Amino acid sequence: MNEKNIFCYVMVAPALAITIVLGVYPMIDTMLISFQSYDLLTLQNEGTRWIGLDNYREILANEKFLQTISQTVIFTVLAVGISVAMGLFLAQIVNAEFRGRSVLRTIILSPWFVPPVVASAIWLWLLETNTSPINSILLDAGLIERKIRFLTDSDTIGPFSIPMLSIVAVRCWNGLPIIIIFLLAGLQSIPKSLYEAAEMDGGGVWAKFRYVTLPMLQPVLMVLFALLFLGGFGHFEMNYIMTGGGPRNLTNVLAVWTYQEGFQFLRYGKAAAAGGIVLVMCSIISVFYLWAQSKDNRS
């Protein structure tokens, strides 16, 4: 091993050690706990017993947990789909040359500076039924006849509830800037000659977007979708702070369910099993991303 290789290993070692201690070890330990009967209320008398897949069987037979998985998928798909669609639209606007572009960029990117916890607190006030200025504006404009219960209405339209849609909207508002930055970087790497060639062929706005922008943004979109889906399955702050998973479990997601099971009901074994299911879902996304990337590299 030459000096150059030794230097490289030394430089990588601290990051590798931190990843193992803070990432790999907790993950392995959590998976081991998920196969044990680990309940703090009975720990002193019964200890921890190896029970195999019983925790998984029990939570997968729980209707509320299955509803939570469904709500997690709905939340993630809606938040990712809406955010990326809006990001594509807004990234092209702020990528265009016009007076005031810097001001518009600052306004659009400003939600990025608001931490999710603070954003949740702000929107919790904005969406509270009795004090909501949004309700006041809609009532004054005659658009609604009674106040909307943004975070407490338990009525649903198919799989969608107003509280879940409200949280998705807040998530999109807070997460949109980073998506725009990704896409803006991708747009600025596209050679202008491709658009000029499309114009010479008679292509309009849609044709340029369909045949130039989307194909050239594909690598960026792949990374973006992978990161957003992974983040969506592990999303916690807004659902917990704004609704705590209610009403009627309609806004509960896997991260909130895991927290409640572990730190409120002290059933660590079942909480770890729920974490294991999140790990499986994230692994499927990662494998799909790696497969798509390798397929793209081969082509």
Side-chain angles (χ1 to χ4, degrees):
M1 187 180 294
N2 58 37
E3 290 184 1
K4 184 179 178 181
N5 286 341
I6 293 173
F7 177 75
C8 293
Y9 285 124
V10 170
M11 294 302 291
V12 170
L16 186 62
I18 291 173
T19 302
I20 292 173
V21 172
L22 300 181
V24 177
Y25 170 72
M27 183 173 66
I28 294 173
D29 193 44
T30 301
M31 292 305 297
L32 292 175
I33 291 174
S34 73
F35 297 113
Q36 300 173 27
S37 173
Y38 200 136
D39 188 331
L40 283 190
L41 297 178
T42 61
L43 183 64
Q44 190 170 5
N45 296 327
E46 300 181 5
T48 57
R49 293 179 292 109
W50 188 267
I51 57 173
L53 295 174
D54 284 0
N55 282 327
Y56 289 93
R57 292 193 192 97
E58 196 168 331
I59 62 174
L60 288 173
N62 186 330
E63 287 186 6
K64 278 195 172 182
F65 183 75
L66 296 179
Q67 182 190 15
T68 300
I69 293 179
S70 169
Q71 298 297 341
T72 304
V73 174
I74 290 171
F75 169 82
T76 304
V77 171
L78 278 180
V80 173
I82 294 172
S83 297
V84 172
M86 292 180 66
L88 276 170
F89 176 71
L90 292 173
Q92 294 194 80
I93 290 178
V94 296
N95 190 44
E97 297 285 344
F98 60 90
R99 181 177 293 182
R101 184 177 67 166
S102 299
V103 176
L104 183 62
R105 281 185 177 183
T106 304
I107 294 172
I108 289 176
L109 298 180
S110 57
W112 190 26
F113 302 109
V114 183
V117 174
V118 178
S120 302
I122 294 171
W123 281 95
L124 188 61
W125 170 72
L126 289 173
L127 297 177
E128 205 283 325
T129 306
N130 294 320
T131 61
S132 170
I134 299 173
N135 267 333
S136 300
I137 293 171
L138 293 175
L139 282 169
D140 293 342
L143 296 176
I144 58 175
E145 295 180 352
R146 59 183 176 85
K147 293 179 178 178
I148 300 174
R149 295 180 294 157
F150 290 103
L151 300 176
T152 57
D153 196 329
S154 58
D155 294 335
T156 59
I157 305 171
F160 307 112
S161 64
I162 291 177
M164 178 59 86
L165 294 176
S166 300
I167 296 175
V168 167
V170 177
R171 173 65 175 166
C172 291
W173 174 83
N174 191 231
L176 192 57
I178 189 66
I179 296 172
I180 292 174
I181 290 173
F182 264 80
L183 295 174
L184 188 59
L187 285 172
Q188 291 184 345
S189 68
I190 300 175
K192 291 184 179 178
S193 57
L194 294 179
Y195 290 109
E196 292 169 357
E199 281 182 2
M200 291 177 66
D201 289 340
V205 174
W206 170 248
K208 286 190 282 187
F209 177 75
R210 170 71 177 81
Y211 297 107
V212 178
T213 304
L214 273 185
M216 296 299 290
L217 281 181
Q218 186 181 348
V220 178
L221 286 171
M222 283 174 57
V223 174
L224 204 51
F225 273 120
L227 292 176
L228 292 175
F229 271 104
L230 293 176
F233 288 140
H235 182 72
F236 175 77
E237 303 98 335
M238 291 174 178
N239 292 64
Y240 181 72
I241 293 172
M242 296 179 72
T243 62
R248 288 173 44 208
N249 207 47
L250 289 172
T251 61
N252 214 354
V253 290
L254 282 169
V256 175
W257 195 94
T258 302
Y259 174 84
Q260 292 170 334
E261 198 68 16
F263 295 100
Q264 291 183 4
F265 306 122
L266 305 179
R267 296 188 285 248
Y268 282 9
K270 291 184 178 59
I277 290 175
V278 174
L279 179 65
V280 170
M281 295 172 74
C282 291
S283 299
I284 292 172
I285 298 295
S286 301
V287 169
F288 179 76
Y289 166 71
L290 293 173
W291 171 80
Q293 193 177 42
S294 63
K295 184 181 177 183
D296 186 55
N297 290 338
R298 286 196 301 272
S299 64

